[in-house]
């Protein structure tokens, strides 16, 4: 595919450990409910309709870039499109979040999942990525993403978000064979999904292990990490086999800051940090050859502008200009004042002037 030339490649340079003109900054959920223009689109269209309609997905992906001086765009989608493509019903309920009305209850329910043609059922994501690359006209790189196996498994068994993950954790202890089968199936699906995104034009990929916080360190190393390593290794293998250039990959395991040295060893270019860890501490734990992304507390975005600016400058200085991508420590929340985003992005860019 022929795409417009990239004008600002600071994100990719940072990911590869090269010198940057300025520290790149983007924000998880930057296309989201804090933007009135996003709310306008959502007033007319169901959440998954936006995901499945490339024109709409591209419009909302573009919205934050019109307002803020960002260094990356991330395609508008959701991690739950994979369970959907495997045959589970996923609904987005206002004020509740995602609901899977018919979750996996026992191991025999795995027979309900159909991975044949799953990637084909996700081709709307590829179409949105390709359309977006043209729409961006090389302004900034485009990030593709996926949920990680354990996080997806949690939603598929709990039937939605969960404070305790008690049902999914029951599977870990009582249905070990079925757990392995499910995580393996998800891993295969994720790899093919990411290959498809790269072919469509994604210039970087992020893997979201958003529910890592529910696992002990021991469980994380056993249940999550091997599959995360597999995703990276198999993706590289498949791209290499098809002579497709490798794109940088980011791993974000929210709540697993206890296992940063382990995360640093499995081949990802960038490790995402949540807001619970000090940047200097994180740097010691991952060593000098990994790029760090993060990690302002999303709640700090509700503070007065001057305070946000100071916190952001302080954070950026702790990370340093080299091998750093500025972001929040999790997604931006719906009530965040728009001015906070301006202050945050500006402060990042001012930090090393």
């Amino acid at each position: 595919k022929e795409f417009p030339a990239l004008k600002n490649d600071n994100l990719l340079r940072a990911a590869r450990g090269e010198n940057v003109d300025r520290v790149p900054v983007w924000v998880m959920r930057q296309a989201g409910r804090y933007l009135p223009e996003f709310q306008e689109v959502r007033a007319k269209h169901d959440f998954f309709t936006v995901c499945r309609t490339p024109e709409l997905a591209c419009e909302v992906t573009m919205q934050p870039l019109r307002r803020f001086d960002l260094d990356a765009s991330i395609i508008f989608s959701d991690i739950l499109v994979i369970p959907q493509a495997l045959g589970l019903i996923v609904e987005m309920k206002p004020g509740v979040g995602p609901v899977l009305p018919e979750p996996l209850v026992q191991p025999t329910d795995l027979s309900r999942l159909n991975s044949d043609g799953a990637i084909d059922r996700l081709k709307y994501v590829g179409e949105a990525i390709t359309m977006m690359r043209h729409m961006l006209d090389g302004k900034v790189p485009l990030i593709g993403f996926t949920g990680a196996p354990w996080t997806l498994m949690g939603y598929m068994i709990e039937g939605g978000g969960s404070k305790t993950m008690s049902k999914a954790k029951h599977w870990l202890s009582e249905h070990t064979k079925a757990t392995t089968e499910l995580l393996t199936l998800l891993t295969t699906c994720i790899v093919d999904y990411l290959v498809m995104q790269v072919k469509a034009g994604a210039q970087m990929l992020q893997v979201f292990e958003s529910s890592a916080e529910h696992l002990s360190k021991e469980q994380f190393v056993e249940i999550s990490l091997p599959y995360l390593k597999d995703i990276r290794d198999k993706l590289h293998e498949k791209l290499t086999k098809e002579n497709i250039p490798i794109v940088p990959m980011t791993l974000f395991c929210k709540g697993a800051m206890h296992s940063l040295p382990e995360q640093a060893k499995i081949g990802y270019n960038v490790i995402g940090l949540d807001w619970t860890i000090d940047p200097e501490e994180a740097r010691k734990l991952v060593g000098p050859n990994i790029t760090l992304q993060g990690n302002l507390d999303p709640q700090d975005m509700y503070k007065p502008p001057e305070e946000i600016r100071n916190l952001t400058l302080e954070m950026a200085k702790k990370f340093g200009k080299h091998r750093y991508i500025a972001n929040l420590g999790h997604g931006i929340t719906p009530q965040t004042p728009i001015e906070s985003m301006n202050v945050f992005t500006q402060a990042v860019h001012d930090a090393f002037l």
Side-chain angles (χ1 to χ4, degrees):
K1 288 189 174 78
E2 281 299 309
F3 290 119
L6 189 53
K7 297 166 194 147
N8 170 358
D9 64 349
N10 284 302
L11 178 83
L12 306 181
R13 295 175 69 85
R16 295 189 295 250
E18 297 164 9
N19 290 336
V20 293
D21 304 331
R22 65 181 195 179
V23 168
V25 57
W26 69 279
V27 166
M28 291 180 272
R29 301 213 179 111
Q30 63 187 32
R33 288 174 289 174
Y34 74 104
L35 292 173
E37 56 269 39
F38 177 84
Q39 298 277 22
E40 268 175 47
V41 173
R42 281 287 282 108
K44 297 191 202 98
H45 307 278
D46 168 75
F47 180 88
F48 285 110
T49 303
V50 179
C51 293
R52 283 194 209 107
T53 313
E55 291 76 8
L56 292 173
C58 287
E59 164 57 26
V60 295
T61 300
M62 202 70 192
Q63 286 174 349
L65 301 173
R66 296 189 189 117
R67 278 189 188 262
F68 314 114
D69 188 12
L70 295 161
D71 297 280
S73 60
I74 181 163
I75 196 67
F76 185 80
S77 185
D78 194 271
I79 63 171
L80 297 178
V81 296
I82 288 184
Q84 233 173 20
L86 290 170
L88 295 186
I89 296 164
V90 184
E91 297 158 352
M92 202 55 81
K93 293 261 167 84
V96 182
V99 175
L100 293 79
E102 298 169 20
L104 306 174
V105 180
Q106 55 240 2
T108 49
D109 287 331
L110 292 182
S111 64
R112 288 164 43 201
L113 302 177
N114 176 21
S115 57
D116 288 345
I119 301 309
D120 206 44
R121 291 190 283 279
L122 290 168
K123 66 174 183 286
Y124 60 85
V125 177
E127 287 164 11
I129 287 171
T130 301
M131 185 182 287
M132 195 64 209
R133 278 293 301 274
H134 289 290
M135 206 190 250
L136 280 167
D137 196 31
K139 184 180 162 84
V140 292
L142 178 61
I143 303 168
F145 72 93
T146 181
W150 156 251
T151 295
L152 296 178
M153 170 178 165
Y155 279 100
M156 292 164 81
I157 292 170
E158 297 288 340
S162 165
K163 294 234 186 301
T164 60
M165 286 281 168
S166 53
K167 298 185 180 97
K169 285 178 146 185
H170 178 78
W171 274 55
L172 296 184
S173 56
E174 304 307 310
H175 306 314
T176 48
K177 191 168 159 286
T179 293
T180 303
E181 195 181 323
L182 178 54
L183 292 170
T184 304
L185 171 91
L186 288 167
T187 299
T188 304
C189 197
I190 287 164
V191 171
D192 291 339
Y193 181 45
L194 292 177
V195 168
M196 181 262 275
Q197 292 189 45
V198 174
K199 286 180 174 172
Q203 289 154 294
M204 187 160 174
L205 299 168
Q206 180 154 324
V207 178
F208 285 86
E209 189 71 284
S210 313
S211 302
E213 60 196 337
H214 295 284
L215 301 173
S216 68
K217 175 159 187 156
E218 196 181 348
Q219 285 175 317
F220 176 75
V221 169
E222 186 191 335
I223 296 297
S224 171
L225 214 59
Y227 298 98
L228 296 170
K229 182 180 189 303
D230 249 9
I231 289 166
R232 183 263 178 214
D233 292 348
K234 291 187 168 128
L235 180 79
H236 275 228
E237 204 177 293
K238 288 202 170 192
L239 293 176
T240 305
K241 206 165 156 186
E242 296 196 47
N243 278 326
I244 299 164
I246 303 281
V247 302
M249 294 179 78
T250 300
L251 177 61
F252 179 53
C253 302
K254 184 173 176 281
M257 300 301 99
H258 48 61
S259 299
L260 287 175
E262 291 80 0
Q263 291 177 48
K265 288 186 185 81
I266 60 171
Y268 285 79
N269 309 77
V270 183
I271 303 284
L273 304 178
D274 65 32
W275 70 88
T276 64
I277 189 161
D278 178 77
E280 290 165 326
E281 176 70 10
R283 176 50 76 197
K284 281 190 201 114
L285 292 168
V286 304
N289 304 319
I290 301 264
T291 297
L292 293 173
Q293 175 175 280
N295 72 334
L296 194 75
D297 185 342
Q299 291 309 308
D300 284 341
M301 298 287 273
Y302 291 88
K303 292 179 171 165
E306 201 46 39
E307 205 176 329
I308 295 172
R309 181 173 172 84
N310 291 335
L311 286 166
T312 304
L313 289 169
E314 193 185 324
M315 169 185 80
K317 297 250 164 51
K318 277 189 171 184
F319 277 106
K321 190 174 179 181
H322 185 60
R323 276 202 177 276
Y324 175 45
I325 298 164
N327 206 311
L328 302 180
H330 194 34
I332 188 168
T333 57
Q335 312 304 323
T336 302
I338 284 177
E339 180 52 20
S340 298
M341 269 289 274
N342 275 318
V343 174
F344 175 68
T345 52
Q346 189 61 52
V348 170
H349 291 144
D350 289 347
F352 298 100
L353 288 179

